[in-house]
Amino acid sequence: MSQEDKGLGPIVSSEHLASGALPALSEIEFGLVMLNHAFSRWMVRCMAAAGVPDLSPVDILVLHNINSRNKAKTLADITLVLNIEDTHVVTYALKKLERLKLIKSGRRGKEKLVMVTEAGAEACVRYKSTRESLLVKSVLATEVSIDSLSEVAARLRALSGHYDQAARAAASL
């Protein structure tokens, strides 16, 4: 029996937004809010457990992105992949990570590139190990299927496109 069948209505943070044509979207939004905060908290605590305290969630995402595929990245590469519109946020993270000697910068012509250092790569390995033992092991214990997780991820990426388009439309009002 669903929450609505029990007379409880959808589980949302803002009932006035759930009173429109698509209440389930408000449920998704509330789930995303909760997931975003839980994920941010997890990243910070996992990285601290991996020996690198005091990084923000964006710092951690940027470090993992730079470490990915062991390939130098540009600011534009990072902002595009992470879907971060404000380049200043990523620039600040890059400066912080470089100051901590987790990344280093170089140039390809006029283009600035960033690469992970050995210390940064080691931090990512420790993060992965902690993630595997604490998070992945826990999720696997729920017997959730890999296919269902992939389907949820695909739907979330698709929804992000709708939100991006709506944001562009709202900016033109």
PDB file of all heavy atoms in Angstrom, residues 60-84:
ATOM      1  N   ILE A  60      36.337  17.256  -3.460  1.00  0.00           N
ATOM      2  CA  ILE A  60      36.468  15.808  -3.603  1.00  0.00           C
ATOM      3  C   ILE A  60      36.036  15.364  -4.998  1.00  0.00           C
ATOM      4  O   ILE A  60      36.719  14.550  -5.636  1.00  0.00           O
ATOM      5  CB  ILE A  60      35.672  15.090  -2.495  1.00  0.00           C
ATOM      6  CG1 ILE A  60      36.281  15.422  -1.130  1.00  0.00           C
ATOM      7  CG2 ILE A  60      35.632  13.579  -2.731  1.00  0.00           C
ATOM      8  CD1 ILE A  60      35.395  15.099   0.059  1.00  0.00           C
ATOM      9  N   LEU A  61      34.920  15.884  -5.481  1.00  0.00           N
ATOM     10  CA  LEU A  61      34.482  15.553  -6.839  1.00  0.00           C
ATOM     11  C   LEU A  61      35.518  15.959  -7.874  1.00  0.00           C
ATOM     12  O   LEU A  61      35.804  15.215  -8.819  1.00  0.00           O
ATOM     13  CB  LEU A  61      33.144  16.238  -7.143  1.00  0.00           C
ATOM     14  CG  LEU A  61      31.928  15.718  -6.390  1.00  0.00           C
ATOM     15  CD1 LEU A  61      30.728  16.641  -6.628  1.00  0.00           C
ATOM     16  CD2 LEU A  61      31.606  14.302  -6.799  1.00  0.00           C
ATOM     17  N   VAL A  62      36.099  17.135  -7.700  1.00  0.00           N
ATOM     18  CA  VAL A  62      37.108  17.628  -8.635  1.00  0.00           C
ATOM     19  C   VAL A  62      38.352  16.735  -8.581  1.00  0.00           C
ATOM     20  O   VAL A  62      38.895  16.354  -9.623  1.00  0.00           O
ATOM     21  CB  VAL A  62      37.448  19.116  -8.355  1.00  0.00           C
ATOM     22  CG1 VAL A  62      38.685  19.568  -9.118  1.00  0.00           C
ATOM     23  CG2 VAL A  62      36.251  20.004  -8.705  1.00  0.00           C
ATOM     24  N   LEU A  63      38.787  16.368  -7.380  1.00  0.00           N
ATOM     25  CA  LEU A  63      39.958  15.497  -7.252  1.00  0.00           C
ATOM     26  C   LEU A  63      39.716  14.157  -7.947  1.00  0.00           C
ATOM     27  O   LEU A  63      40.562  13.685  -8.714  1.00  0.00           O
ATOM     28  CB  LEU A  63      40.304  15.269  -5.779  1.00  0.00           C
ATOM     29  CG  LEU A  63      41.468  14.303  -5.521  1.00  0.00           C
ATOM     30  CD1 LEU A  63      42.759  14.821  -6.153  1.00  0.00           C
ATOM     31  CD2 LEU A  63      41.632  14.068  -4.025  1.00  0.00           C
ATOM     32  N   HIS A  64      38.571  13.540  -7.696  1.00  0.00           N
ATOM     33  CA  HIS A  64      38.269  12.262  -8.346  1.00  0.00           C
ATOM     34  C   HIS A  64      38.204  12.414  -9.868  1.00  0.00           C
ATOM     35  O   HIS A  64      38.668  11.552 -10.604  1.00  0.00           O
ATOM     36  CB  HIS A  64      36.950  11.673  -7.828  1.00  0.00           C
ATOM     37  CG  HIS A  64      37.063  11.059  -6.475  1.00  0.00           C
ATOM     38  ND1 HIS A  64      37.923  10.025  -6.183  1.00  0.00           N
ATOM     39  CD2 HIS A  64      36.399  11.323  -5.325  1.00  0.00           C
ATOM     40  CE1 HIS A  64      37.793   9.683  -4.925  1.00  0.00           C
ATOM     41  NE2 HIS A  64      36.886  10.466  -4.372  1.00  0.00           N
ATOM     42  N   ASN A  65      37.635  13.522 -10.342  1.00  0.00           N
ATOM     43  CA  ASN A  65      37.550  13.739 -11.788  1.00  0.00           C
ATOM     44  C   ASN A  65      38.939  13.876 -12.403  1.00  0.00           C
ATOM     45  O   ASN A  65      39.215  13.312 -13.461  1.00  0.00           O
ATOM     46  CB  ASN A  65      36.690  14.968 -12.094  1.00  0.00           C
ATOM     47  CG  ASN A  65      36.606  15.230 -13.571  1.00  0.00           C
ATOM     48  OD1 ASN A  65      37.325  16.068 -14.105  1.00  0.00           O
ATOM     49  ND2 ASN A  65      35.754  14.487 -14.260  1.00  0.00           N
ATOM     50  N   ILE A  66      39.813  14.613 -11.745  1.00  0.00           N
ATOM     51  CA  ILE A  66      41.172  14.787 -12.251  1.00  0.00           C
ATOM     52  C   ILE A  66      41.915  13.451 -12.243  1.00  0.00           C
ATOM     53  O   ILE A  66      42.674  13.135 -13.157  1.00  0.00           O
ATOM     54  CB  ILE A  66      41.930  15.858 -11.433  1.00  0.00           C
ATOM     55  CG1 ILE A  66      41.280  17.229 -11.642  1.00  0.00           C
ATOM     56  CG2 ILE A  66      43.414  15.901 -11.818  1.00  0.00           C
ATOM     57  CD1 ILE A  66      41.732  18.285 -10.663  1.00  0.00           C
ATOM     58  N   ASN A  67      41.664  12.649 -11.227  1.00  0.00           N
ATOM     59  CA  ASN A  67      42.316  11.335 -11.111  1.00  0.00           C
ATOM     60  C   ASN A  67      41.790  10.340 -12.147  1.00  0.00           C
ATOM     61  O   ASN A  67      42.498   9.416 -12.547  1.00  0.00           O
ATOM     62  CB  ASN A  67      42.113  10.782  -9.697  1.00  0.00           C
ATOM     63  CG  ASN A  67      42.881   9.504  -9.462  1.00  0.00           C
ATOM     64  OD1 ASN A  67      44.093   9.457  -9.609  1.00  0.00           O
ATOM     65  ND2 ASN A  67      42.163   8.465  -9.105  1.00  0.00           N
ATOM     66  N   SER A  68      40.587  10.555 -12.621  1.00  0.00           N
ATOM     67  CA  SER A  68      39.947   9.624 -13.545  1.00  0.00           C
ATOM     68  C   SER A  68      40.729   9.459 -14.837  1.00  0.00           C
ATOM     69  O   SER A  68      41.114  10.442 -15.471  1.00  0.00           O
ATOM     70  CB  SER A  68      38.529  10.118 -13.859  1.00  0.00           C
ATOM     71  OG  SER A  68      37.887   9.253 -14.754  1.00  0.00           O
ATOM     72  N   ARG A  69      40.969   8.249 -15.216  1.00  0.00           N
ATOM     73  CA  ARG A  69      41.627   7.874 -16.472  1.00  0.00           C
ATOM     74  C   ARG A  69      43.075   8.344 -16.576  1.00  0.00           C
ATOM     75  O   ARG A  69      43.664   8.332 -17.650  1.00  0.00           O
ATOM     76  CB  ARG A  69      40.824   8.327 -17.677  1.00  0.00           C
ATOM     77  CG  ARG A  69      39.409   7.797 -17.690  1.00  0.00           C
ATOM     78  CD  ARG A  69      38.656   8.244 -18.922  1.00  0.00           C
ATOM     79  NE  ARG A  69      37.227   8.149 -18.766  1.00  0.00           N
ATOM     80  CZ  ARG A  69      36.511   7.045 -18.900  1.00  0.00           C
ATOM     81  NH1 ARG A  69      37.097   5.916 -19.169  1.00  0.00           N
ATOM     82  NH2 ARG A  69      35.200   7.059 -18.751  1.00  0.00           N
ATOM     83  N   ASN A  70      43.616   8.848 -15.437  1.00  0.00           N
ATOM     84  CA  ASN A  70      45.023   9.257 -15.399  1.00  0.00           C
ATOM     85  C   ASN A  70      45.382  10.157 -16.581  1.00  0.00           C
ATOM     86  O   ASN A  70      46.392   9.969 -17.259  1.00  0.00           O
ATOM     87  CB  ASN A  70      45.946   8.026 -15.355  1.00  0.00           C
ATOM     88  CG  ASN A  70      47.350   8.382 -14.920  1.00  0.00           C
ATOM     89  OD1 ASN A  70      47.552   9.368 -14.228  1.00  0.00           O
ATOM     90  ND2 ASN A  70      48.321   7.593 -15.337  1.00  0.00           N
ATOM     91  N   LYS A  71      44.514  11.141 -16.829  1.00  0.00           N
ATOM     92  CA  LYS A  71      44.676  12.033 -17.976  1.00  0.00           C
ATOM     93  C   LYS A  71      44.552  13.477 -17.497  1.00  0.00           C
ATOM     94  O   LYS A  71      43.657  13.803 -16.705  1.00  0.00           O
ATOM     95  CB  LYS A  71      43.571  11.686 -18.989  1.00  0.00           C
ATOM     96  CG  LYS A  71      43.564  12.484 -20.243  1.00  0.00           C
ATOM     97  CD  LYS A  71      42.434  12.012 -21.151  1.00  0.00           C
ATOM     98  CE  LYS A  71      41.830  13.178 -21.875  1.00  0.00           C
ATOM     99  NZ  LYS A  71      40.584  12.870 -22.523  1.00  0.00           N
ATOM    100  N   ALA A  72      45.417  14.342 -17.966  1.00  0.00           N
ATOM    101  CA  ALA A  72      45.362  15.758 -17.600  1.00  0.00           C
ATOM    102  C   ALA A  72      44.028  16.356 -18.038  1.00  0.00           C
ATOM    103  O   ALA A  72      43.486  15.987 -19.077  1.00  0.00           O
ATOM    104  CB  ALA A  72      46.522  16.513 -18.246  1.00  0.00           C
ATOM    105  N   LYS A  73      43.524  17.291 -17.249  1.00  0.00           N
ATOM    106  CA  LYS A  73      42.224  17.906 -17.523  1.00  0.00           C
ATOM    107  C   LYS A  73      42.360  19.423 -17.558  1.00  0.00           C
ATOM    108  O   LYS A  73      43.200  20.007 -16.894  1.00  0.00           O
ATOM    109  CB  LYS A  73      41.211  17.554 -16.414  1.00  0.00           C
ATOM    110  CG  LYS A  73      41.095  16.093 -16.027  1.00  0.00           C
ATOM    111  CD  LYS A  73      40.272  15.306 -16.983  1.00  0.00           C
ATOM    112  CE  LYS A  73      39.937  13.905 -16.553  1.00  0.00           C
ATOM    113  NZ  LYS A  73      40.925  13.054 -15.966  1.00  0.00           N
ATOM    114  N   THR A  74      41.468  20.060 -18.299  1.00  0.00           N
ATOM    115  CA  THR A  74      41.352  21.519 -18.294  1.00  0.00           C
ATOM    116  C   THR A  74      40.187  21.897 -17.380  1.00  0.00           C
ATOM    117  O   THR A  74      39.347  21.052 -17.039  1.00  0.00           O
ATOM    118  CB  THR A  74      41.066  22.074 -19.701  1.00  0.00           C
ATOM    119  OG1 THR A  74      39.778  21.599 -20.128  1.00  0.00           O
ATOM    120  CG2 THR A  74      42.141  21.672 -20.693  1.00  0.00           C
ATOM    121  N   LEU A  75      40.128  23.157 -17.033  1.00  0.00           N
ATOM    122  CA  LEU A  75      39.003  23.665 -16.252  1.00  0.00           C
ATOM    123  C   LEU A  75      37.691  23.372 -16.984  1.00  0.00           C
ATOM    124  O   LEU A  75      36.714  22.928 -16.375  1.00  0.00           O
ATOM    125  CB  LEU A  75      39.170  25.168 -16.015  1.00  0.00           C
ATOM    126  CG  LEU A  75      38.031  25.878 -15.304  1.00  0.00           C
ATOM    127  CD1 LEU A  75      37.850  25.357 -13.880  1.00  0.00           C
ATOM    128  CD2 LEU A  75      38.282  27.384 -15.291  1.00  0.00           C
ATOM    129  N   ALA A  76      37.683  23.584 -18.294  1.00  0.00           N
ATOM    130  CA  ALA A  76      36.469  23.333 -19.091  1.00  0.00           C
ATOM    131  C   ALA A  76      36.071  21.862 -19.052  1.00  0.00           C
ATOM    132  O   ALA A  76      34.885  21.540 -18.966  1.00  0.00           O
ATOM    133  CB  ALA A  76      36.681  23.786 -20.534  1.00  0.00           C
ATOM    134  N   ASP A  77      37.066  20.949 -19.105  1.00  0.00           N
ATOM    135  CA  ASP A  77      36.766  19.511 -19.009  1.00  0.00           C
ATOM    136  C   ASP A  77      36.045  19.205 -17.706  1.00  0.00           C
ATOM    137  O   ASP A  77      35.038  18.496 -17.686  1.00  0.00           O
ATOM    138  CB  ASP A  77      38.063  18.671 -19.025  1.00  0.00           C
ATOM    139  CG  ASP A  77      38.839  18.738 -20.313  1.00  0.00           C
ATOM    140  OD1 ASP A  77      38.241  18.996 -21.375  1.00  0.00           O
ATOM    141  OD2 ASP A  77      40.078  18.527 -20.257  1.00  0.00           O
ATOM    142  N   ILE A  78      36.572  19.728 -16.617  1.00  0.00           N
ATOM    143  CA  ILE A  78      36.045  19.426 -15.281  1.00  0.00           C
ATOM    144  C   ILE A  78      34.645  19.990 -15.107  1.00  0.00           C
ATOM    145  O   ILE A  78      33.736  19.294 -14.659  1.00  0.00           O
ATOM    146  CB  ILE A  78      37.001  19.967 -14.202  1.00  0.00           C
ATOM    147  CG1 ILE A  78      38.359  19.259 -14.308  1.00  0.00           C
ATOM    148  CG2 ILE A  78      36.406  19.786 -12.811  1.00  0.00           C
ATOM    149  CD1 ILE A  78      39.480  19.954 -13.558  1.00  0.00           C
ATOM    150  N   THR A  79      34.464  21.258 -15.484  1.00  0.00           N
ATOM    151  CA  THR A  79      33.142  21.867 -15.305  1.00  0.00           C
ATOM    152  C   THR A  79      32.096  21.172 -16.175  1.00  0.00           C
ATOM    153  O   THR A  79      30.950  21.013 -15.753  1.00  0.00           O
ATOM    154  CB  THR A  79      33.164  23.378 -15.600  1.00  0.00           C
ATOM    155  OG1 THR A  79      33.636  23.596 -16.928  1.00  0.00           O
ATOM    156  CG2 THR A  79      34.033  24.123 -14.600  1.00  0.00           C
ATOM    157  N   LEU A  80      32.484  20.753 -17.365  1.00  0.00           N
ATOM    158  CA  LEU A  80      31.548  20.066 -18.248  1.00  0.00           C
ATOM    159  C   LEU A  80      31.120  18.719 -17.663  1.00  0.00           C
ATOM    160  O   LEU A  80      29.929  18.431 -17.555  1.00  0.00           O
ATOM    161  CB  LEU A  80      32.167  19.868 -19.632  1.00  0.00           C
ATOM    162  CG  LEU A  80      31.301  19.113 -20.641  1.00  0.00           C
ATOM    163  CD1 LEU A  80      30.070  19.938 -21.014  1.00  0.00           C
ATOM    164  CD2 LEU A  80      32.104  18.764 -21.875  1.00  0.00           C
ATOM    165  N   VAL A  81      32.082  17.906 -17.287  1.00  0.00           N
ATOM    166  CA  VAL A  81      31.763  16.572 -16.764  1.00  0.00           C
ATOM    167  C   VAL A  81      30.954  16.650 -15.473  1.00  0.00           C
ATOM    168  O   VAL A  81      29.992  15.906 -15.282  1.00  0.00           O
ATOM    169  CB  VAL A  81      33.052  15.743 -16.548  1.00  0.00           C
ATOM    170  CG1 VAL A  81      32.761  14.465 -15.776  1.00  0.00           C
ATOM    171  CG2 VAL A  81      33.698  15.423 -17.890  1.00  0.00           C
ATOM    172  N   LEU A  82      31.324  17.574 -14.584  1.00  0.00           N
ATOM    173  CA  LEU A  82      30.633  17.683 -13.301  1.00  0.00           C
ATOM    174  C   LEU A  82      29.382  18.562 -13.368  1.00  0.00           C
ATOM    175  O   LEU A  82      28.689  18.710 -12.371  1.00  0.00           O
ATOM    176  CB  LEU A  82      31.590  18.200 -12.223  1.00  0.00           C
ATOM    177  CG  LEU A  82      32.776  17.281 -11.910  1.00  0.00           C
ATOM    178  CD1 LEU A  82      33.669  17.923 -10.850  1.00  0.00           C
ATOM    179  CD2 LEU A  82      32.311  15.900 -11.478  1.00  0.00           C
ATOM    180  N   ASN A  83      29.110  19.141 -14.541  1.00  0.00           N
ATOM    181  CA  ASN A  83      27.938  19.990 -14.745  1.00  0.00           C
ATOM    182  C   ASN A  83      27.912  21.156 -13.746  1.00  0.00           C
ATOM    183  O   ASN A  83      26.880  21.456 -13.153  1.00  0.00           O
ATOM    184  CB  ASN A  83      26.642  19.164 -14.668  1.00  0.00           C
ATOM    185  CG  ASN A  83      25.464  19.890 -15.288  1.00  0.00           C
ATOM    186  OD1 ASN A  83      25.629  20.793 -16.104  1.00  0.00           O
ATOM    187  ND2 ASN A  83      24.262  19.499 -14.897  1.00  0.00           N
ATOM    188  N   ILE A  84      29.061  21.788 -13.580  1.00  0.00           N
ATOM    189  CA  ILE A  84      29.180  22.942 -12.690  1.00  0.00           C
ATOM    190  C   ILE A  84      29.265  24.186 -13.562  1.00  0.00           C
ATOM    191  O   ILE A  84      30.200  24.341 -14.351  1.00  0.00           O
ATOM    192  CB  ILE A  84      30.419  22.834 -11.775  1.00  0.00           C
ATOM    193  CG1 ILE A  84      30.288  21.597 -10.872  1.00  0.00           C
ATOM    194  CG2 ILE A  84      30.585  24.106 -10.936  1.00  0.00           C
ATOM    195  CD1 ILE A  84      31.514  21.318 -10.016  1.00  0.00           C
TER     196      ILE A  84
END
